[in-house]
């Protein structure tokens, strides 16, 4: 069972990265500016809403609905087929209530799906920008530190032209 779960997780991630994201999003080829990278990384680390605040990609809402509807039906069809005989015998009033609940679940889970897609693409763009501006520091290890240092630099009103040097000095200083 653990192998099956691992296999599904791996293939779902691959499907997301290779098929869904390129279909739903248009990504920019231009590199992310340092100021944009630092701001986006801070927002990501603070858990803030990223929709509309991350430069470098555009999401097609229509395509995201198409993908979500296909995934939704792939998940719902199996239980519907398995329980068809029992569902056919239910009272129509109960079926109306179930239809309302499933419609609510559809739109609620779409919001979660959309946020997940945006967070995934934002992280991908931030990691790409990180490689341009901080190639000698691992993103997973230093992203939170850089977000804290960036907030401190904003508080101290460090000019943007000195921002990268300030952050690099603080990162090296913390390693000693």
């Amino acid at each position: 069972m653990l192998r099956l779960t691992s296999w599904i997780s791996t293939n779902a991630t691959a499907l997301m990265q290779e098929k869904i994201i390129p279909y739903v999003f248009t990504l920019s080829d231009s590199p992310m500016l340092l100021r944009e990278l630092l701001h986006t990384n801070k927002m990501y680390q603070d858990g803030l809403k990223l929709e509309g605040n991350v430069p470098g990609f555009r999401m097609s809402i229509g395509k995201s609905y198409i993908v979500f509807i296909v995934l939704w039906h792939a998940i719902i069809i199996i239980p519907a087929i398995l329980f068809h005989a029992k569902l056919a015998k239910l009272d129509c009033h109960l079926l109306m209530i179930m239809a309302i609940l499933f419609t609510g679940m559809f739109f609620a889970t779409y919001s979660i799906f959309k946020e997940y897609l945006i967070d995934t693409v934002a992280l991908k763009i931030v990691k790409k920008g990180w490689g341009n501006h901080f190639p000698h520091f691992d993103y997973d290890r230093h992203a939170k530190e850089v977000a804290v240092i960036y907030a401190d630099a904003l508080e101290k009103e460090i000019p943007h032209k000195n921002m990268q040097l300030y952050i690099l000095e603080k990162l090296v200083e913390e390693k000693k």
Side-chain angles (χ1 to χ4, degrees):
M1 186 65 169
L2 184 62
R3 270 193 202 165
L4 177 63
T5 307
S6 175
W7 181 82
I8 290 172
S9 174
T10 304
N11 286 333
T13 304
L15 175 70
M16 179 76 73
Q17 293 295 331
E18 296 172 9
K19 303 289 184 197
I20 295 174
I21 288 176
Y23 178 71
V24 173
F25 291 93
T26 303
L27 302 176
S28 174
D29 291 333
S30 61
M32 197 175 215
L33 299 174
L34 177 66
R35 176 181 5 197
E36 296 168 341
L37 170 68
L38 294 172
H39 179 69
T40 305
N41 180 54
K42 173 127 179 51
M43 288 177 60
Y44 185 82
Q45 296 302 322
D46 291 345
L48 299 176
K49 186 176 178 184
L50 297 173
E51 183 178 2
N53 294 319
V54 179
F57 72 86
R58 193 182 88 230
M59 180 179 186
S60 171
I61 300 295
K63 289 181 179 180
S64 69
Y65 267 117
I66 290 170
V67 169
F68 184 71
I69 288 169
V70 168
L71 292 174
W72 177 265
H73 280 85
I75 293 169
I76 295 298
I77 291 292
I78 295 169
I81 291 171
L82 291 175
F83 297 110
H84 177 72
K86 293 196 188 281
L87 290 172
K89 294 177 184 176
L90 284 179
D91 181 40
C92 68
H93 295 93
L94 184 60
L95 289 176
M96 282 191 258
I97 292 171
M98 286 177 59
I100 292 168
L101 291 175
F102 273 95
T103 302
M105 281 179 32
F106 175 82
F107 287 108
T109 53
Y110 173 74
S111 296
I112 294 168
F113 173 75
K114 183 176 155 187
E115 288 295 321
Y116 175 75
L117 280 179
I118 290 170
D119 286 350
T120 302
V121 171
L123 182 61
K124 183 178 178 178
I125 289 173
V126 167
K127 283 186 176 184
K128 183 179 176 185
W130 187 276
N132 290 337
H133 296 289
F134 301 108
H136 302 294
F137 295 95
D138 181 49
Y139 175 80
D140 296 324
R141 275 211 247 143
H142 299 288
K144 288 183 182 179
E145 290 174 64
V146 169
V148 170
I149 295 169
Y150 175 65
D152 182 48
L154 289 177
E155 192 175 295
K156 291 181 179 178
E157 297 179 1
I158 304 292
H160 284 292
K161 64 181 181 181
N162 299 336
M163 189 70 69
Q164 187 169 16
L165 181 62
Y166 178 81
I167 291 172
L168 289 172
E169 285 176 353
K170 290 289 184 180
L171 282 173
V172 171
E173 186 178 290
E174 288 181 12
K175 285 208 173 225
K176 289 183 181 182

